[in-house]
Amino acid sequence: MREIEYWIWISSLEGMGAVKAMGLLKMYKNPRIVYEMSEHELKQTKLLTDKNIQEILDKQKRERVNKIYELMIKHNIKMINVFDDNYPYNLKQIYDPPIALYYKGKFELNDFAIAIVGSRRTTNYGSYSAKKLAYDLSLRGVPIVSGLARGIDSIAHEGCLAAGGKTIAVLGCGLDTIYPPENTKLCEDIIKSDGLVISEYPPGMPPLQHNFPARNRIISGISSGVLVVEAAKRSGSLITACYALEQGREVFAIPGNIDCAYSRGTNQLIKDGAKMVLCAEDVLEEFDYIEASDNSEAQNDLSKRGSKTNFSIFRGLSTEEIRIAKIISNGIHDIDEIIDRSNNPTKEVNNILFMLEMKGVITQLPGKIFNMCL
Amino acid sequence: MEFYGFKYNSSINKQHNKVIVIDTLTHLQYWSVFLYIHPLESISDISLVGGGKHIKPGEISLAHYGVLFLDEFPEFSKDAIEVLRQPLEDGEICISRANSSITYPAKTTLICAANPCRCGFYLDPSRKCNCTPKMVQQYFGKLSQPLLDRIDIHAEVHPVKYDELAKNGEEETSAVIRERVNSARNIQLDRYKGLGIYSNSELSPPLIKKYCELDRFTSNLLKRAFEKLGLSARAHSRILKVARTIADMEGSETIKSEHVAEAIQYRSLDRIKI
């Protein structure tokens, strides 16, 4: 057996948690030694229960290593173990670091990264702010970490890719399957753009329910701060925020309407002391982050956009169109409210909104919600 | 106004606000209220479009030149929904069985109502929707794109707040609106005299070219909207017909850009990608 196969074997033992596995490895340094130990020797370590020992000696689990290895080669999945020099320093510091990380793409984790997480069910406001912050942060060269789930997670990845940034997806299943399946294309895009897809689970592991909370500890573990965009009262994103606090990471949250069910979790976080985030700078000022010097082009783009919101975006529009566009840019998105605010007949407002959409100033979202184009 | 469906095997006469369908083959008679039919969600595809061992016209034929209202549209069976495609496109339904083949008229104004998801709170900011994204997608996915293409006007309706219910505003009354609709109907009756059709919805492609002419600016606008919103070819003639109707409602002879803009705004379901 090759060295890597011993690592696959020890990381594929479901019954043994990361803490126990780490304890064994700290003692013996090499999974091969654990592999060759007898039942008596394993008992003497005093770390393991009878069940753990049985699992370690289980023949079936030893035989399937070869299959997992074949899957890794087939899907071009690589592995990095906890003693490797490239293993992310931040992640190693947490209470229960994964003993091995399976990954696809280029393994190049900076010390600094921001995680953007949120609920799977989102409102238009949530998806807009997730996209905006992911875009703005990655323009400044910050890698974005998220979980490739539906909703905010996918939007954060997309926003980062749109800005040409690096993004890291942490999955809760083996990398041979992508869950949820509709994100397969997004996953490919992430790898293509020098991003990274990682998981602590060996290929062949299905997306089990309890994998996801465990996955969340890696999301917060490899990042320096966690930004919660939208979360209901009981939400997986709040688990990530809890892990972040345990691991000593900064927790950020985006405020929402006080009566919006989707923002209850984030508003509660802010009440409990998380930092309220209104723009990308709010996140970065907490760190001694020096912007990457080679992104001057991105910087130019950013300052251009800043001025664009002030006047050039309104160039070539009629006065009525500018009036409506200003109402929307001031934060009124609902069609009824826009009509109320504009004092124009419904029909006229509808036409102006349509013309603005055709001119690429605003976009229309389901539910007749209008947003300024990013 | 009087409408006739005499060119069909079965005929429909208007008598005392009831319609009598006399099937010339089987000599059976059916009665129905002429103006408005409202079947339940549990209706089968056969009883909706017609058929059976002794072929009978379905609800859609009984609502010929009337209104067929399908409330909670995605709750109807998949078969019943999809079987509507042909009558909506052709204005008639051809039923073929081993013992006979009959074409029934089916020019109906179809009105459907639907919730955005099973629990009804999707996209409602104040109440939390209990549906998973998959459930939302399944619920609305039941309505296929070809079927949605054949529906002229999609309108999103927001929940009404109490203040608006209690408000005694200057809303238009239905009587005023009816007058406007009637005058638009009369314009159309005059325009299509001798053509054998009565309204804009019955326009055939050559007639659309004749009566729904656009100026250069408006056709450019329509082209841009198609590219930007990714509308289907089927939506094109629908938009023109609806724009024609909006122009008629205003008493405008030509279709202006704002009429087309409004017609495109009525295709909101084409852009919902859940």
Side-chain angles (χ1 to χ4, degrees):
Chain A
M1 255 165 91
R2 269 162 286 216
E3 168 100 20
I4 189 170
E5 284 177 75
Y6 291 108
W7 281 103
I8 294 171
W9 166 74
I10 199 161
S11 69
S12 71
L13 301 175
E14 292 100 345
M16 198 163 61
V19 180
K20 272 184 193 160
M22 198 62 207
L24 277 179
L25 287 172
K26 266 185 185 152
M27 260 190 248
Y28 300 106
K29 298 289 176 212
N30 197 328
R32 188 181 180 161
I33 299 167
V34 183
Y35 189 87
E36 282 160 1
M37 276 160 83
S38 67
E39 190 176 350
H40 179 69
E41 282 172 314
L42 284 168
K43 263 188 186 154
Q44 277 189 333
T45 59
K46 286 179 185 163
L47 270 173
L48 305 166
T49 61
D50 288 350
K51 235 182 179 176
N52 291 145
I53 292 168
Q54 264 169 26
E55 199 181 11
I56 289 174
L57 297 171
D58 193 339
K59 262 202 180 135
Q60 268 187 353
K61 298 214 163 161
R62 292 182 179 215
E63 278 159 10
R64 72 176 182 183
V65 169
N66 201 16
K67 258 188 208 158
I68 296 174
Y69 188 61
E70 274 168 19
L71 270 176
M72 280 176 69
I73 291 168
K74 192 179 157 200
H75 290 97
N76 198 15
I77 299 164
K78 285 165 228 129
M79 194 193 72
I80 192 169
N81 64 53
V82 73
F83 296 133
D84 205 305
D85 291 339
N86 278 336
Y87 192 90
Y89 176 79
N90 280 347
L91 190 56
K92 216 172 180 175
Q93 305 307 313
I94 70 174
Y95 167 67
D96 46 358
I99 47 172
L101 282 176
Y102 295 85
Y103 68 93
K104 266 179 170 181
K106 215 160 112 191
F107 201 94
E108 207 179 68
L109 275 177
N110 300 22
D111 284 344
F112 188 72
I114 295 288
I116 296 184
V117 296
S119 62
R120 279 166 295 167
R121 273 175 243 154
T122 64
T123 62
N124 293 319
Y125 166 71
S127 36
Y128 174 78
S129 31
K131 191 159 194 177
K132 187 174 140 90
L133 278 152
Y135 186 91
D136 285 356
L137 282 170
S138 28
L139 268 190
R140 291 168 172 80
V142 181
I144 303 293
V145 183
S146 200
L148 202 77
R150 296 184 180 104
I152 296 290
D153 285 17
S154 314
I155 293 161
H157 287 305
E158 277 162 16
C160 182
L161 290 178
K166 254 189 79 169
T167 178
I168 299 139
V170 187
L171 267 62
C173 59
L175 294 179
D176 57 327
T177 49
I178 302 300
Y179 182 84
E182 62 259 35
N183 280 348
T184 313
K185 169 106 203 337
L186 178 61
C187 185
E188 282 166 14
D189 288 346
I190 289 173
I191 295 167
K192 252 184 236 159
S193 63
D194 275 355
L196 191 63
V197 183
I198 59 178
S199 168
E200 68 170 315
Y201 300 104
M205 170 67 95
L208 300 175
Q209 207 179 359
H210 59 255
N211 289 357
F212 290 92
R215 177 274 311 258
N216 289 348
R217 83 178 196 282
I218 305 179
I219 293 182
S220 55
I222 57 177
S223 355
S224 311
V226 173
L227 170 61
V228 186
V229 174
E230 223 172 24
K233 219 169 180 183
R234 286 164 48 106
S235 159
S237 338
L238 297 182
I239 298 178
T240 316
C242 271
Y243 277 126
L245 285 178
E246 271 174 31
Q247 297 162 358
R249 311 287 192 250
E250 298 286 338
V251 177
F252 304 94
I254 290 185
N257 278 347
I258 50 171
D259 57 352
C260 178
Y262 297 86
S263 288
R264 233 155 252 167
T266 45
N267 285 342
Q268 187 64 39
L269 277 179
I270 293 171
K271 200 174 145 195
D272 294 344
K275 182 168 182 191
M276 188 199 296
V277 171
L278 306 177
C279 62
E281 279 79 13
D282 291 345
V283 175
L284 293 180
E285 71 186 11
E286 291 295 310
F287 306 97
D288 310 328
Y289 179 69
I290 302 150
E291 286 174 22
S293 53
D294 60 334
N295 65 353
S296 53
E297 205 177 302
Q299 279 298 308
N300 279 339
D301 187 30
L302 208 63
S303 52
K304 228 190 283 169
R305 255 168 14 94
S307 62
K308 205 169 152 192
T309 44
N310 287 333
F311 44 90
S312 71
I313 197 167
F314 297 137
R315 197 173 290 158
L317 304 183
S318 70
T319 41
E320 280 301 296
E321 284 172 345
I322 291 176
R323 214 161 65 83
I324 302 281
K326 273 190 177 153
I327 291 172
I328 297 169
S329 73
N330 285 343
I332 310 279
H333 302 297
D334 188 73
I335 178 109
D336 291 334
E337 280 181 68
I338 296 170
I339 292 166
D340 266 2
R341 201 51 86 84
S342 70
N343 283 330
N344 287 15
T346 312
K347 220 176 139 135
E348 214 169 283
V349 177
N350 256 322
N351 280 337
I352 293 169
L353 287 171
F354 175 72
M355 292 310 290
L356 283 173
E357 192 183 357
M358 283 302 108
K359 286 176 182 170
V361 181
I362 59 172
T363 50
Q364 185 181 337
L365 302 168
K368 286 266 174 199
I369 306 285
F370 294 89
N371 259 341
M372 299 302 283
C373 279
L374 272 180
Chain B
M1 280 185 284
E2 278 190 36
F3 300 119
Y4 300 101
F6 278 134
K7 56 177 175 172
Y8 303 95
N9 286 346
S10 41
S11 54
I12 293 185
N13 293 319
K14 190 183 171 193
Q15 275 184 2
H16 310 297
N17 211 20
K18 299 233 171 179
V19 68
I20 302 174
V21 179
I22 301 153
D23 200 317
T24 45
L25 278 177
T26 51
H27 302 288
L28 288 169
Q29 295 189 353
Y30 311 98
W31 287 266
S32 157
V33 177
F34 184 62
L35 291 174
Y36 180 76
I37 290 188
H38 176 190
L40 274 180
E41 297 102 89
S42 56
I43 190 172
S44 71
D45 49 337
I46 300 292
S47 59
L48 191 61
V49 295
K53 193 178 174 195
H54 306 291
I55 298 184
K56 285 180 180 181
E59 300 281 340
I60 193 165
S61 297
L62 296 181
H64 184 54
Y65 282 123
V67 172
L68 178 68
F69 179 48
L70 305 181
D71 200 3
E72 302 295 352
F73 195 38
E75 298 287 349
F76 281 70
S77 77
K78 183 97 189 153
D79 291 342
I81 292 172
E82 291 307 319
V83 86
L84 286 172
R85 285 191 203 183
Q86 195 222 337
L88 282 182
E89 188 73 37
D90 304 337
E92 57 184 30
I93 177 94
C94 178
I95 299 154
S96 291
R97 295 290 183 273
N99 53 1
S100 62
S101 170
I102 296 181
T103 303
Y104 286 117
K107 279 182 183 158
T108 175
T109 304
L110 174 71
I111 300 179
C112 311
N115 272 310
C117 67
R118 198 164 284 270
C119 77
F121 295 116
Y122 183 65
L123 294 176
D124 186 347
S126 52
R127 296 280 295 271
K128 195 163 176 254
C129 169
N130 291 322
C131 308
T132 60
K134 178 117 187 154
M135 278 160 77
V136 177
Q137 205 238 340
Q138 270 174 347
Y139 193 71
F140 243 79
K142 220 171 163 188
L143 313 179
S144 65
Q145 193 56 45
L147 184 77
L148 290 176
D149 282 343
R150 289 174 168 95
I151 295 174
D152 292 324
I153 296 178
H154 315 152
E156 289 169 61
V157 185
H158 292 248
V160 185
K161 295 185 189 97
Y162 179 78
D163 293 352
E164 284 165 21
L165 278 180
K167 198 165 70 180
N168 290 322
E170 321 77 45
E171 283 90 14
E172 259 183 323
T173 61
S174 299
V176 177
I177 297 172
R178 176 196 285 167
E179 237 162 67
R180 225 171 45 225
V181 172
N182 278 343
S183 73
R185 278 275 185 189
N186 285 331
I187 290 173
Q188 291 171 25
L189 276 178
D190 285 347
R191 186 166 49 216
Y192 303 133
K193 221 166 224 169
L195 289 173
I197 58 171
Y198 305 98
S199 63
N200 293 336
S201 65
E202 296 171 70
L203 285 172
S204 60
L207 290 177
I208 289 178
K209 230 172 222 173
K210 191 174 168 195
Y211 291 109
C212 304
E213 232 179 333
L214 303 179
D215 59 39
R216 182 174 297 205
F217 174 73
T218 314
S219 54
N220 270 344
L221 179 74
L222 188 57
K223 192 178 157 212
R224 220 161 54 190
F226 262 74
E227 284 161 2
K228 207 148 193 169
L229 305 177
L231 300 173
S232 72
R234 242 184 246 114
H236 183 255
S237 59
R238 301 273 160 190
I239 288 171
L240 287 178
K241 286 181 197 174
V242 172
R244 180 69 262 174
T245 305
I246 296 165
D248 288 342
M249 295 278 275
E250 283 187 2
S252 160
E253 205 135 294
T254 55
I255 301 178
K256 292 183 193 144
S257 63
E258 65 248 39
H259 302 143
V260 172
E262 192 178 337
I264 297 170
Q265 289 283 33
Y266 289 138
R267 299 217 63 81
S268 50
L269 284 183
D270 288 357
R271 41 172 116 198
I272 292 191
K273 309 240 158 34
I274 297 167

Short mmCIF file of all heavy atoms in Angstrom, two decimals, chain B residues 42-73:
data_model
loop_
_atom_site.label_atom_id
_atom_site.label_comp_id
_atom_site.label_asym_id
_atom_site.label_seq_id
_atom_site.Cartn_x
_atom_site.Cartn_y
_atom_site.Cartn_z
N SER B 42 -60.02 18.94 -9.29
CA SER B 42 -59.99 17.48 -9.45
C SER B 42 -60.47 17.04 -10.83
O SER B 42 -60.56 15.85 -11.10
CB SER B 42 -60.87 16.85 -8.38
OG SER B 42 -62.15 17.40 -8.45
N ILE B 43 -60.78 17.98 -11.71
CA ILE B 43 -61.30 17.64 -13.03
C ILE B 43 -60.28 16.81 -13.82
O ILE B 43 -59.08 17.00 -13.70
CB ILE B 43 -61.68 18.93 -13.80
CG1 ILE B 43 -62.45 18.61 -15.06
CG2 ILE B 43 -60.43 19.73 -14.15
CD1 ILE B 43 -63.01 19.83 -15.75
N SER B 44 -60.80 15.85 -14.60
CA SER B 44 -59.89 15.02 -15.39
C SER B 44 -59.62 15.70 -16.73
O SER B 44 -60.35 16.61 -17.13
CB SER B 44 -60.50 13.65 -15.62
OG SER B 44 -61.58 13.77 -16.52
N ASP B 45 -58.58 15.25 -17.41
CA ASP B 45 -58.25 15.86 -18.69
C ASP B 45 -59.37 15.66 -19.71
O ASP B 45 -59.65 16.52 -20.53
CB ASP B 45 -56.92 15.33 -19.23
CG ASP B 45 -56.84 13.82 -19.20
OD1 ASP B 45 -57.58 13.22 -18.40
OD2 ASP B 45 -56.06 13.25 -19.97
N ILE B 46 -60.05 14.49 -19.64
CA ILE B 46 -61.12 14.20 -20.59
C ILE B 46 -62.29 15.16 -20.39
O ILE B 46 -62.81 15.73 -21.34
CB ILE B 46 -61.62 12.74 -20.41
CG1 ILE B 46 -60.47 11.75 -20.65
CG2 ILE B 46 -62.79 12.46 -21.34
CD1 ILE B 46 -59.99 11.68 -22.05
N SER B 47 -62.69 15.37 -19.14
CA SER B 47 -63.85 16.23 -18.94
C SER B 47 -63.50 17.69 -19.19
O SER B 47 -64.37 18.51 -19.41
CB SER B 47 -64.44 16.05 -17.54
OG SER B 47 -63.48 16.34 -16.59
N LEU B 48 -62.22 18.03 -19.20
CA LEU B 48 -61.83 19.41 -19.48
C LEU B 48 -61.89 19.71 -20.97
O LEU B 48 -62.42 20.73 -21.39
CB LEU B 48 -60.41 19.68 -18.94
CG LEU B 48 -59.96 21.13 -18.92
CD1 LEU B 48 -60.86 21.96 -18.03
CD2 LEU B 48 -58.53 21.24 -18.42
N VAL B 49 -61.38 18.81 -21.80
CA VAL B 49 -61.35 19.10 -23.24
C VAL B 49 -62.36 18.28 -24.04
O VAL B 49 -62.56 18.54 -25.22
CB VAL B 49 -59.95 18.87 -23.84
CG1 VAL B 49 -58.96 19.84 -23.26
CG2 VAL B 49 -59.51 17.45 -23.66
N GLY B 50 -62.99 17.32 -23.42
CA GLY B 50 -63.97 16.52 -24.14
C GLY B 50 -63.43 15.14 -24.46
O GLY B 50 -62.23 14.90 -24.43
N GLY B 51 -64.37 14.21 -24.76
CA GLY B 51 -63.96 12.84 -25.07
C GLY B 51 -64.90 11.87 -24.40
O GLY B 51 -66.07 12.20 -24.15
N GLY B 52 -64.43 10.71 -24.12
CA GLY B 52 -65.27 9.70 -23.49
C GLY B 52 -65.71 8.67 -24.51
O GLY B 52 -65.41 8.78 -25.70
N LYS B 53 -66.42 7.67 -24.01
CA LYS B 53 -66.86 6.57 -24.90
C LYS B 53 -67.83 7.12 -25.94
O LYS B 53 -67.68 6.91 -27.14
CB LYS B 53 -67.51 5.48 -24.06
CG LYS B 53 -67.71 4.20 -24.84
CD LYS B 53 -68.32 3.14 -23.95
CE LYS B 53 -68.65 1.90 -24.76
NZ LYS B 53 -69.54 1.01 -24.01
N HIS B 54 -68.89 7.80 -25.47
CA HIS B 54 -69.73 8.57 -26.39
C HIS B 54 -69.22 9.98 -26.30
O HIS B 54 -69.42 10.65 -25.28
CB HIS B 54 -71.19 8.49 -25.96
CG HIS B 54 -71.67 7.09 -25.81
ND1 HIS B 54 -71.83 6.26 -26.90
CD2 HIS B 54 -71.97 6.36 -24.71
CE1 HIS B 54 -72.22 5.08 -26.47
NE2 HIS B 54 -72.30 5.11 -25.14
N ILE B 55 -68.57 10.44 -27.35
CA ILE B 55 -67.81 11.69 -27.24
C ILE B 55 -68.70 12.87 -26.85
O ILE B 55 -69.74 13.10 -27.45
CB ILE B 55 -67.07 11.98 -28.56
CG1 ILE B 55 -66.08 10.84 -28.83
CG2 ILE B 55 -66.35 13.31 -28.48
CD1 ILE B 55 -65.24 11.05 -30.05
N LYS B 56 -68.27 13.56 -25.80
CA LYS B 56 -69.00 14.74 -25.32
C LYS B 56 -68.04 15.92 -25.33
O LYS B 56 -66.83 15.73 -25.14
CB LYS B 56 -69.42 14.53 -23.86
CG LYS B 56 -70.56 13.59 -23.64
CD LYS B 56 -70.80 13.55 -22.15
CE LYS B 56 -71.95 12.63 -21.80
NZ LYS B 56 -72.15 12.62 -20.35
N PRO B 57 -68.54 17.13 -25.52
CA PRO B 57 -67.66 18.28 -25.43
C PRO B 57 -67.23 18.52 -23.98
O PRO B 57 -67.99 18.23 -23.06
CB PRO B 57 -68.51 19.44 -25.94
CG PRO B 57 -69.91 18.99 -25.75
CD PRO B 57 -69.92 17.51 -25.88
N GLY B 58 -66.03 19.00 -23.81
CA GLY B 58 -65.52 19.27 -22.45
C GLY B 58 -65.86 20.67 -22.01
O GLY B 58 -66.49 21.44 -22.73
N GLU B 59 -65.41 21.00 -20.81
CA GLU B 59 -65.70 22.32 -20.23
C GLU B 59 -65.17 23.44 -21.12
O GLU B 59 -65.77 24.50 -21.24
CB GLU B 59 -65.05 22.44 -18.85
CG GLU B 59 -65.51 21.42 -17.83
CD GLU B 59 -66.86 21.76 -17.23
OE1 GLU B 59 -67.25 22.93 -17.31
OE2 GLU B 59 -67.53 20.84 -16.72
N ILE B 60 -64.03 23.19 -21.76
CA ILE B 60 -63.42 24.25 -22.56
C ILE B 60 -64.29 24.58 -23.78
O ILE B 60 -64.33 25.72 -24.24
CB ILE B 60 -61.98 23.87 -22.96
CG1 ILE B 60 -61.24 25.09 -23.51
CG2 ILE B 60 -61.92 22.74 -23.95
CD1 ILE B 60 -59.76 24.92 -23.60
N SER B 61 -65.05 23.58 -24.29
CA SER B 61 -65.96 23.86 -25.40
C SER B 61 -67.25 24.49 -24.90
O SER B 61 -67.85 25.31 -25.59
CB SER B 61 -66.29 22.56 -26.15
OG SER B 61 -65.13 22.03 -26.69
N LEU B 62 -67.67 24.11 -23.70
CA LEU B 62 -68.87 24.72 -23.15
C LEU B 62 -68.63 26.20 -22.86
O LEU B 62 -69.54 27.02 -22.86
CB LEU B 62 -69.31 24.00 -21.87
CG LEU B 62 -69.71 22.55 -22.07
CD1 LEU B 62 -70.15 21.94 -20.76
CD2 LEU B 62 -70.84 22.42 -23.09
N ALA B 63 -67.36 26.55 -22.62
CA ALA B 63 -67.03 27.95 -22.37
C ALA B 63 -66.66 28.67 -23.66
O ALA B 63 -66.02 29.71 -23.63
CB ALA B 63 -65.88 28.04 -21.38
N HIS B 64 -67.07 28.15 -24.79
CA HIS B 64 -66.79 28.76 -26.09
C HIS B 64 -67.31 30.20 -26.10
O HIS B 64 -68.48 30.45 -25.80
CB HIS B 64 -67.48 27.93 -27.17
CG HIS B 64 -67.20 28.38 -28.56
ND1 HIS B 64 -65.92 28.53 -29.05
CD2 HIS B 64 -68.04 28.68 -29.58
CE1 HIS B 64 -65.98 28.93 -30.31
NE2 HIS B 64 -67.26 29.03 -30.66
N TYR B 65 -66.44 31.13 -26.40
CA TYR B 65 -66.75 32.57 -26.35
C TYR B 65 -67.17 33.02 -24.96
O TYR B 65 -67.87 34.01 -24.79
CB TYR B 65 -67.81 32.95 -27.38
CG TYR B 65 -67.23 33.07 -28.77
CD1 TYR B 65 -67.73 32.31 -29.82
CD2 TYR B 65 -66.17 33.92 -29.01
CE1 TYR B 65 -67.17 32.40 -31.09
CE2 TYR B 65 -65.61 34.02 -30.26
CZ TYR B 65 -66.11 33.26 -31.30
OH TYR B 65 -65.55 33.36 -32.52
N GLY B 66 -66.80 32.28 -23.96
CA GLY B 66 -67.06 32.68 -22.58
C GLY B 66 -65.75 32.64 -21.81
O GLY B 66 -64.68 32.68 -22.40
N VAL B 67 -65.85 32.54 -20.51
CA VAL B 67 -64.66 32.54 -19.66
C VAL B 67 -64.52 31.18 -18.99
O VAL B 67 -65.48 30.66 -18.42
CB VAL B 67 -64.75 33.64 -18.58
CG1 VAL B 67 -63.61 33.51 -17.58
CG2 VAL B 67 -64.72 35.01 -19.23
N LEU B 68 -63.34 30.59 -19.08
CA LEU B 68 -63.04 29.38 -18.34
C LEU B 68 -62.04 29.75 -17.25
O LEU B 68 -60.93 30.18 -17.55
CB LEU B 68 -62.43 28.32 -19.28
CG LEU B 68 -62.03 27.00 -18.64
CD1 LEU B 68 -63.25 26.25 -18.18
CD2 LEU B 68 -61.23 26.16 -19.61
N PHE B 69 -62.46 29.63 -16.00
CA PHE B 69 -61.59 30.05 -14.90
C PHE B 69 -61.06 28.82 -14.16
O PHE B 69 -61.83 28.01 -13.65
CB PHE B 69 -62.38 30.95 -13.94
CG PHE B 69 -61.56 31.41 -12.76
CD1 PHE B 69 -60.29 31.93 -12.94
CD2 PHE B 69 -62.06 31.31 -11.47
CE1 PHE B 69 -59.53 32.35 -11.86
CE2 PHE B 69 -61.30 31.73 -10.39
CZ PHE B 69 -60.03 32.25 -10.59
N LEU B 70 -59.74 28.66 -14.14
CA LEU B 70 -59.12 27.55 -13.43
C LEU B 70 -58.37 28.11 -12.22
O LEU B 70 -57.29 28.67 -12.35
CB LEU B 70 -58.15 26.80 -14.35
CG LEU B 70 -58.74 26.29 -15.67
CD1 LEU B 70 -57.69 25.55 -16.47
CD2 LEU B 70 -59.92 25.36 -15.41
N ASP B 71 -59.00 27.94 -11.06
CA ASP B 71 -58.38 28.47 -9.84
C ASP B 71 -57.36 27.45 -9.33
O ASP B 71 -57.53 26.26 -9.51
CB ASP B 71 -59.47 28.71 -8.80
CG ASP B 71 -59.01 29.69 -7.73
OD1 ASP B 71 -57.88 30.20 -7.87
OD2 ASP B 71 -59.77 29.94 -6.79
N GLU B 72 -56.29 27.93 -8.68
CA GLU B 72 -55.20 27.07 -8.20
C GLU B 72 -54.68 26.17 -9.33
O GLU B 72 -54.67 24.96 -9.25
CB GLU B 72 -55.68 26.22 -7.01
CG GLU B 72 -56.20 27.00 -5.83
CD GLU B 72 -55.13 27.85 -5.16
OE1 GLU B 72 -53.95 27.72 -5.51
OE2 GLU B 72 -55.51 28.67 -4.31
N PHE B 73 -54.25 26.81 -10.38
CA PHE B 73 -53.91 26.11 -11.62
C PHE B 73 -52.89 24.97 -11.44
O PHE B 73 -53.10 23.88 -11.97
CB PHE B 73 -53.40 27.14 -12.64
CG PHE B 73 -53.35 26.65 -14.05
CD1 PHE B 73 -54.35 25.82 -14.56
CD2 PHE B 73 -52.32 27.03 -14.89
CE1 PHE B 73 -54.30 25.38 -15.87
CE2 PHE B 73 -52.27 26.59 -16.19
CZ PHE B 73 -53.26 25.77 -16.69
#
